Amino acid sequence: MCAIAGILYKNGKRLNYSTGEALNRMLEATLHRGPDSAGWALYHDPKDERLRLCFYIPRSKVAKDVIADIQKIISDLGAEIVEDNFIGCIYMVKLKCSIPVRKLYQSFKSVAELFSIGTRLDIIKDVGQPEDLAPLYSINDFDGTHGLAHLRLATESGVHANTTHPFWAPGFADICTVHNGMITNYWIMRRRLERRGMEFLSNNDTELIAVYLAYKMSQDVLLEDALKSSLDDFDGTYSYLVSTPDSIGFAKDKLAAKPVVVYEDDNVIAISSEEVGLNSLFPGQTLETTEQPPLTYGIWYRA
């Protein structure tokens, strides 16, 4: 059992709290679903085309050496660091850079693991609970266009920062997933994608979803069609969310044991694993929510 959450503003209007705080309110209302770790996928307003990189740096005495190696590679590539910050286990870098994302990703593989690359996306994730991690990483200060969040109950892999959700598709900018459940044909699907040149950084089945969707879209398949085909290609019991620079999508298996509850009005789409997560955004109000039916998929877009 895990908790998934998402929020997307349709026309720029916000709730009475920041985007990050809205995600945290939904997580805090569903803490019982994920005691091990927490993570956020945060989509910033497109102020420029600078690339945003989030590196995983294990907490150790050699962290400074790893960061120095990253900075040297950036210099050797002819890119320029505009901003950087090292917090917790994440080194966040903003680059002035014209190098394609897949080539940039390949350049760092031997030095450090990347949580994400994009012009819009930061993936922040760590072991622990939101009440401790959100202040550490200043999640409540984030007030971008949309985002995903996740609480994890570890099942198929250990409790580590780099096995926590969200997951991006290595080498593909601004696409990531969170999910609740288990993909039982993980290894079959992974080998198929690896034969097509796709790469994986973990053995977590949520990463498979991100890589699968990124591969489909790299073959000029629309996201909506990729969501539809995933229902045929994935075995297991699952519900997942995927985010792109301008949308949040979902897919839900035929057994529908993993809930996806949605509230929508003229300004916002809010998604949670439980009704209580949505109620936390509108205390004292009666909400008209919907539970997504079995074997369904869909996308919500920004205006």
Side-chain angles (χ1 to χ4, degrees):
M1 185 167 66
C2 298
I4 59 177
I7 192 162
L8 180 147
Y9 296 106
K10 297 179 181 180
N11 52 25
K13 291 186 178 180
R14 304 290 198 264
L15 301 176
N16 293 327
Y17 19 77
S18 70
T19 311
E21 186 179 355
L23 291 169
N24 287 337
R25 290 174 76 94
M26 287 190 282
L27 291 188
E28 289 166 1
T30 54
L31 283 177
H32 54 281
R33 301 184 66 92
D36 296 326
S37 54
W40 299 263
L42 308 176
Y43 284 81
H44 298 258
D45 289 301
K47 295 179 180 178
D48 54 42
E49 292 302 312
R50 303 290 193 258
L51 279 177
R52 314 177 70 94
L53 289 75
C54 292
F55 292 91
Y56 168 56
I57 309 292
R59 291 177 171 89
S60 71
K61 294 180 180 179
V62 300
K64 291 183 179 179
D65 295 332
V66 175
I67 291 172
D69 289 340
I70 291 170
Q71 292 173 342
K72 184 178 185 305
I73 290 173
I74 290 171
S75 177
D76 291 344
L77 290 170
E80 177 186 345
I81 296 177
V82 179
E83 298 176 21
D84 69 336
N85 196 14
F86 179 39
I87 304 174
C89 67
I90 299 177
Y91 179 49
M92 292 173 279
V93 185
K94 194 172 182 180
L95 289 184
K96 184 177 181 180
C97 177
S98 59
I99 300 169
V101 168
R102 295 204 74 176
K103 181 179 178 181
L104 194 62
Y105 157 71
Q106 295 290 339
S107 300
F108 295 107
K109 281 176 58 178
S110 63
V111 175
E113 181 178 335
L114 274 158
F115 277 170
S116 62
I117 300 179
T119 59
R120 303 282 306 280
L121 172 65
D122 288 337
I123 289 181
I124 309 296
K125 55 184 182 177
D126 205 343
V127 174
Q129 288 285 283
E131 64 178 354
D132 300 314
L133 298 178
L136 174 65
Y137 292 105
S138 301
I139 301 299
N140 285 349
D141 293 340
F142 167 72
D143 201 23
T145 56
H146 58 300
L148 304 180
H150 188 269
L151 291 168
R152 184 173 184 238
L153 173 64
T155 52
E156 86 301 335
S157 58
V159 181
H160 308 288
N162 58 343
T163 56
T164 298
H165 307 203
F167 280 91
W168 78 310
F172 293 84
D174 295 318
I175 301 170
C176 75
T177 53
V178 296
H179 118 276
N180 177 22
M182 183 172 289
I183 308 299
T184 54
N185 62 338
Y186 168 84
W187 286 107
I188 293 172
M189 293 300 301
R190 173 169 173 160
R191 286 191 288 268
R192 289 177 184 172
L193 290 164
E194 287 176 328
R195 287 195 292 268
R196 290 165 171 80
M198 302 299 285
E199 297 184 59
F200 291 79
L201 298 177
S202 76
N203 294 330
N204 190 292
D205 53 351
T206 306
E207 185 184 27
L208 170 72
I209 300 170
V211 173
Y212 172 91
L213 295 174
Y215 172 74
K216 288 287 188 179
M217 288 187 283
S218 74
Q219 303 301 303
D220 296 324
V221 175
L222 296 175
L223 176 58
E224 185 173 10
D225 294 330
L227 293 170
K228 181 180 180 180
S229 67
S230 76
L231 296 175
D232 294 322
D233 289 339
F234 294 156
D235 293 334
T237 303
Y238 58 86
S239 294
Y240 70 81
L241 302 177
V242 56
S243 52
T244 72
D246 62 354
S247 68
I248 293 177
F250 84 94
K252 187 173 183 179
D253 75 284
K254 62 184 177 183
L255 297 177
K258 306 299 181 181
V260 179
V261 187
V262 178
Y263 170 76
E264 181 175 5
D265 63 24
D266 292 340
N267 298 318
V268 67
I269 297 285
I271 310 131
S272 179
S273 291
E274 296 184 16
E275 186 103 11
V276 67
L278 301 177
N279 290 338
S280 71
L281 300 180
F282 304 93
Q285 298 185 38
T286 301
L287 301 181
E288 292 187 12
T289 62
T290 57
E291 164 67 45
Q292 303 309 297
L295 209 62
T296 55
Y297 63 93
I299 305 175
W300 299 281
Y301 290 98
R302 294 177 59 221

